[in-house]
Amino acid sequence: MTDQIRPQPGIMDIALYQGGASRVAGRSDAIKLSSNENPFGPSDKAKEAFVKCAHSMHRYPSTDHLALREAIADVHKLDVSRTIIGVGSDEILHFLCQAYVGQGDEVVFTEHGFLMYRVSTLAAGGTPISVPERERTTDVDAILAACTEQTKLVFIANPNNPTGTMIPLAELERLAVGLPPQAILVIDSAYAEYVEGYDGGAELAGRLPNVFMTRTFSKIYGLGGLRVGWGYGPQDIIDVLNRIRGPFNMSTTQLETAEAAVRDQDWIDRCRNDNTRLRGWLAEALAEKGVPSDTSTANFILARFTSPQEAEACDAYLKTEGVIVRLVTSYNLPNCLRITVGDEPSCRRVAHLIGLFKVQFMAGNA
Ligand SMILES: *Cc1c(COP(=O)(O)O)cnc(C)c1O
């Protein structure tokens, strides 16, 4: 490399994203609770659609994604012309930054917000602005206070990852209404389906001119490996994003599998109910063993330990026992572990192991 060949400003400030670990050396039976995946996987109908696609792979995919967009619009009662499909919601977040953010522009998110907000902001040449939360919960007043004439986007995950907390729709609306006129509120609703009766901000994104919602098939739909997400918002924002979207960004396999998945809402209801039950059980079991957590609204629990050392020691101990959870030091939560709600045996195993760990750790520190 010569020193004349340089990337755009900001690019070298991006830390490489570390995904949740998926392996423990020497074990083939590891339980992965580190990436908020649905332990039950996708619906059988989605799997059947995926297999069927093997016969049509010589054909180029649709460029307007209309069949999937119509399925989404049907199920969620949305205006189909205001939907857009991307390679995971990550791609939609990226489009938003690419389209609305340049040098000198600011993008606001919360101190324990999703790491991709920072990555996409820096990739677009913008300046990330991190705002404090209150007790690991989004603080609307702090966000409003951080906005300036340079603010172009405000990203809120609701429920948030990795805290698991959320704020009410009325608070999101208050935030949207209070933003400076050039700023868009992006509600990242990756975990919305886990919250009974919550629309993920769809109604707000349909009504207000500065609210955009992103969704994903990676979490409750059990299709993280397929890479499909979508967005919904004002028509003029959708039109802007479509100009930078590659015409063939989605494969036929992605489109047809996701379409079958979204049409099978019975599967989603079952997964939500199982998650709610097991999440409650796990939170209580951990609390009994001296590991508290905030009430989670998603498919994971942010378990709090007494120190970063204890969290790291517990993470290491769980690994030796073949259970992979997530240290969230990179989210400024060094004394916490994020634990995905797995199936029932996984929940029982992780709770049991953490109980054993706590006893040993307390004894060691006594
Ligand atoms: C998992 C997750 C996503 C989903 O990303 P995809 O690219 O759709 O897989 C988006 N936002 C948050 C906060 C997440 O935790």
Side-chain angles (χ1 to χ4, degrees):
M1 225 216 276
T2 74
D3 52 1
Q4 276 94 346
I5 299 177
R6 277 188 232 113
Q8 290 293 313
I11 304 284
M12 296 311 288
D13 299 329
I14 299 174
L16 288 178
Y17 185 88
Q18 307 264 345
S22 56
R23 255 179 266 286
V24 182
R27 289 193 80 120
S28 56
D29 60 343
I31 298 175
K32 185 185 179 198
L33 303 175
S34 55
S35 296
N36 299 343
E37 295 150 339
N38 181 340
F40 308 107
S43 102
D44 285 342
K45 290 184 179 143
K47 289 185 237 178
E48 281 160 26
F50 182 93
V51 170
K52 231 175 98 199
C53 288
H55 304 285
S56 58
M57 284 196 282
H58 56 305
R59 301 292 180 199
Y60 265 86
S62 136
T63 60
D64 63 9
H65 312 150
L66 192 60
L68 174 56
R69 288 168 48 225
E70 281 176 345
I72 289 170
D74 276 358
V75 166
H76 293 277
K77 311 271 181 289
L78 302 177
D79 176 351
V80 66
S81 68
R82 296 168 64 167
T83 56
I84 184 170
I85 312 295
V87 181
S89 49
D90 279 2
E91 192 182 37
I92 311 271
L93 301 173
H94 210 73
F95 289 158
L96 285 160
C97 286
Q98 202 186 334
Y100 290 98
V101 178
Q103 285 219 21
D105 292 335
E106 295 173 351
V107 177
V108 173
F109 44 85
T110 66
E111 63 178 319
H112 309 305
F114 190 41
L115 292 177
M116 288 308 297
Y117 306 152
R118 183 181 176 82
V119 171
S120 289
T121 300
L122 290 170
T127 305
I129 305 288
S130 169
V131 174
E133 298 186 17
R134 190 191 297 244
E135 293 290 313
R136 297 168 299 281
T137 306
T138 299
D139 179 345
V140 166
D141 293 306
I143 295 169
L144 289 172
C147 286
T148 70
E149 282 172 19
Q150 277 68 52
T151 307
K152 294 297 172 67
L153 296 174
V154 175
F155 285 117
I156 302 292
N158 202 54
N160 187 42
N161 168 22
T163 57
T165 60
M166 69 184 294
I167 59 173
L169 282 168
E171 278 288 277
L172 288 171
E173 179 160 3
R174 183 166 78 84
L175 175 56
V177 170
L179 288 182
Q182 77 289 348
I184 301 170
L185 170 62
V186 180
I187 305 174
D188 176 344
S189 289
Y191 301 96
E193 294 85 357
Y194 286 106
V195 185
E196 176 92 54
Y198 175 59
D199 77 350
E203 189 276 333
L204 284 180
R207 174 162 56 85
L208 299 181
N210 65 341
V211 176
F212 195 90
M213 171 183 76
T214 61
R215 303 288 284 253
T216 185
F217 284 90
S218 300
K219 302 290 157 56
I220 206 168
Y221 283 95
L223 293 169
L226 192 69
R227 313 304 304 131
V228 189
W230 55 280
Y232 184 71
Q235 192 68 57
D236 52 348
I237 298 180
I238 293 288
D239 292 344
V240 166
L241 302 188
N242 271 323
R243 285 166 202 273
I244 53 176
R245 177 177 70 77
F248 300 112
N249 65 325
M250 305 303 296
S251 70
T252 309
T253 316
Q254 288 171 302
L255 294 167
E256 295 194 0
T257 307
E259 184 186 340
V262 78
R263 292 214 184 268
D264 188 1
Q265 288 296 308
D266 288 347
W267 179 248
I268 300 310
D269 291 342
R270 271 183 59 183
C271 293
R272 178 194 307 110
N273 290 339
D274 272 333
N275 179 72
T276 303
R277 179 173 59 81
L278 290 168
R279 180 183 66 203
W281 181 87
L282 180 59
E284 206 166 302
L286 293 180
E288 277 169 16
K289 298 172 201 305
V291 180
S293 55
D294 300 309
T295 300
S296 172
T297 56
N299 67 334
F300 53 86
I301 282 174
L302 186 69
R304 291 205 303 279
F305 292 83
T306 53
S307 66
Q309 291 72 20
E310 190 188 11
E312 276 167 38
C314 186
D315 179 62
Y317 170 72
L318 291 174
K319 268 204 184 77
T320 64
E321 295 295 327
V323 176
I324 310 166
V325 299
R326 178 84 151 189
L327 267 172
V328 278
T329 314
S330 54
Y331 285 91
N332 300 320
L333 292 160
N335 61 338
C336 297
L337 295 178
R338 190 190 69 195
I339 305 170
T340 303
V341 177
D343 59 12
E344 188 157 341
S346 309
C347 288
R348 289 192 183 278
R349 176 126 181 94
V350 75
H352 174 69
L353 290 171
I354 289 177
L356 293 180
F357 167 81
K358 264 306 230 194
V359 172
Q360 289 166 21
F361 190 84
M362 302 293 267
N365 280 7

